[in-house]
Amino acid sequence: MNRLPTMLAVVGVTWMSLIGAGNAAPTNASVQDAALVKEIEDYRKRRVENLLQPDGWTAITGMHWLEPGRYSVGSAADSNIRLSIGPARIGVIEEKDGRALFTAEPGVALVVDGAAPTGPVELKRYGKGTPATTVAYDGGKGSVSLIVSGGRRAIRVRHADAPTRKNFAGLDYYPIDAGWRIKGKFEPHPPGRVVPVLDVLGGLNDQANPGVVVFERDGRTFRLEVIGDSGRGLSLMFADRTNGKGSYPSGRFLSTGLPDANGEVLIDFNRTYTPPCAFSEFGTCLLPPPENRLDLAVTAGEKTYKKTGSHL
C-alpha cells in the first residue's frame, strides 16, 4: 500500500495548523508582555536621556568640601577650588556663619539663577521644591552649586564637556521579565519618623522613613524600608545577591508609584537603577540600610556600569 499520499496529507494539515497558529490573534499574555517591553524600553530611554543632560549625573567634574574661609574658584593652578574645565577664575566663595557668599570675578560672563550677578550672592542648597542656587559659566555649560552631605557643606561642579559625559558607555540590563513585577503592601510608620542613613563617604544623613513595603518572592516574604519623601511615590534602596556579581556592588535604587487605597503598590524590579556614584567619583550616594539587604538575587533592572569611575 502506498502511504505517501496519506503522509503528505498529514504533513499538509500539520503545516496549515502551524500557519494558522502563527496568524492567530495574540494571546492576552503576549499582548501584556509586548506592552511591558515597550514600557520598560521607553523608561530606559528616558533614563539615559536624563543621565546625559548637560547638568546630569554624568556631567559632575568635582566636589569640594567647605570650611570657614575664602575660596578662589577657577581653573588656574592657584585656585582653592580648581575647575577641571572653565575660566582661570570665576570668582570667590566665602564660607562664614553657615552661609556661602559668591562674588563674581570682574569681566567674566556668569549667570546666577538666570541673571548676571550684580554683587555677592548667597549660595543656597537644594530644598524641598526649591532648586539650589546655580552659578553658570562657559555659556551655561559649566556650573557650581552648594550641596550638604552627611551634615557637611560642599561645592559641586558640573560641566557639559565632562569626560564622563562625553565618553558615556551606555547601560547594560538584565532581560525584561514580567515575573519581576510584584505586588507589595505598604505599611506606614508613625508620621515624622526619621532614620540615619549612611552614604558612600561615611557620613550619616537623616532621612524620612514613612513606612515599609512587604512583598513575596519564591514563597518567601521580604521587607523594604521606604527612604525619603513619599509625596510622589515610594523610594527604595536595596542590596541583593547580584551586587558585585552583575549589578552595582553597593546596591541599587527603585522608585514606585503611590500605594492605592488598600495600601497595595506595584514593585517593578525591571525599573531598578544604578546610583549616581557609578558614573562619577564625586557622588555622595546613600547606601541601602541594613534592613534592606535582601537574601535574594534580583536579576532585573540595570547591571553594573562597565566604565565606572567610582571609588567603590
Side-chain angles (χ1 to χ4, degrees):
M1 179 179 177
N2 187 355
R3 298 186 179 182
L4 182 58
T6 303
M7 294 174 63
L8 290 174
V10 172
V11 171
V13 171
T14 304
W15 178 246
M16 291 304 293
S17 299
L18 291 173
I19 292 175
N23 290 334
T27 65
N28 188 47
S30 65
V31 170
Q32 290 178 350
D33 287 347
L36 172 62
V37 169
K38 184 178 187 309
E39 174 190 322
I40 298 302
E41 287 180 345
D42 288 347
Y43 163 77
R44 290 174 176 178
K45 181 180 178 182
R46 294 192 302 271
R47 159 83 169 146
V48 171
E49 288 174 349
N50 288 334
L51 282 173
L52 293 179
Q53 288 293 313
D55 60 350
W57 290 115
T58 59
I60 298 177
T61 58
M63 189 177 72
H64 307 268
W65 297 107
L66 293 178
E67 300 291 345
R70 289 173 57 86
Y71 300 82
S72 57
V73 185
S75 62
D78 62 346
S79 298
N80 302 120
I81 295 178
R82 190 172 181 184
L83 307 178
S84 60
I85 309 170
R89 193 83 77 214
I90 66 168
V92 172
I93 294 174
E94 183 175 11
E95 173 75 5
K96 184 179 181 181
D97 299 328
R99 301 173 69 206
L101 295 178
F102 174 80
T103 302
E105 182 78 5
V108 178
L110 300 175
V111 174
V112 180
D113 288 346
T118 57
V121 177
E122 182 178 358
L123 303 181
K124 296 185 178 180
R125 61 173 293 190
Y126 167 83
K128 188 175 181 180
T130 306
T133 305
T134 300
V135 178
Y137 55 93
D138 272 359
K141 292 199 297 181
S143 68
V144 300
S145 58
L146 179 73
I147 67 167
V148 177
S149 178
R152 300 175 63 193
R153 293 156 61 86
I155 295 297
R156 175 171 282 162
V157 185
R158 287 181 166 92
H159 202 285
D161 292 337
T164 44
R165 179 172 181 263
K166 297 179 72 174
N167 300 324
F168 180 69
L171 300 178
D172 193 15
Y173 310 91
Y174 290 100
I176 298 172
D177 184 351
W180 281 109
R181 286 167 66 93
I182 301 173
K183 281 189 177 181
K185 185 70 177 290
F186 175 70
E187 299 178 355
H189 290 320
R193 175 164 165 166
V194 174
V195 295
V197 179
L198 196 67
D199 64 36
V200 295
L201 300 176
L204 284 174
N205 303 260
D206 286 339
Q207 298 288 317
N209 179 210
V212 62
V213 171
V214 182
F215 68 95
E216 293 187 0
R217 173 77 182 185
D218 299 334
R220 293 188 294 161
T221 300
F222 299 93
R223 300 169 63 87
L224 287 174
E225 294 290 340
V226 179
I227 302 298
D229 178 36
S230 58
R232 295 184 177 181
L234 307 182
S235 179
L236 306 174
M237 300 183 291
F238 67 92
D240 70 279
R241 290 195 172 276
T242 69
N243 297 155
K245 300 176 182 178
S247 70
Y248 191 60
S250 67
R252 290 179 289 168
F253 296 173
L254 174 62
S255 298
T256 77
L258 289 169
D260 66 15
N262 297 317
E264 290 190 348
V265 60
L266 179 63
I267 312 166
D268 190 347
F269 285 98
N270 294 289
R271 290 174 172 255
T272 298
Y273 62 95
T274 305
C277 292
F279 311 103
S280 171
E281 63 181 304
F282 303 111
T284 57
C285 304
L286 298 177
L287 296 172
E291 297 87 347
N292 286 7
R293 301 185 183 279
L294 303 177
D295 182 18
L296 179 68
V298 180
T299 53
E302 288 181 20
K303 292 185 176 181
T304 303
Y305 182 58
K306 292 183 178 178
K307 289 192 177 181
T308 176
S310 171
H311 50 287
L312 289 185

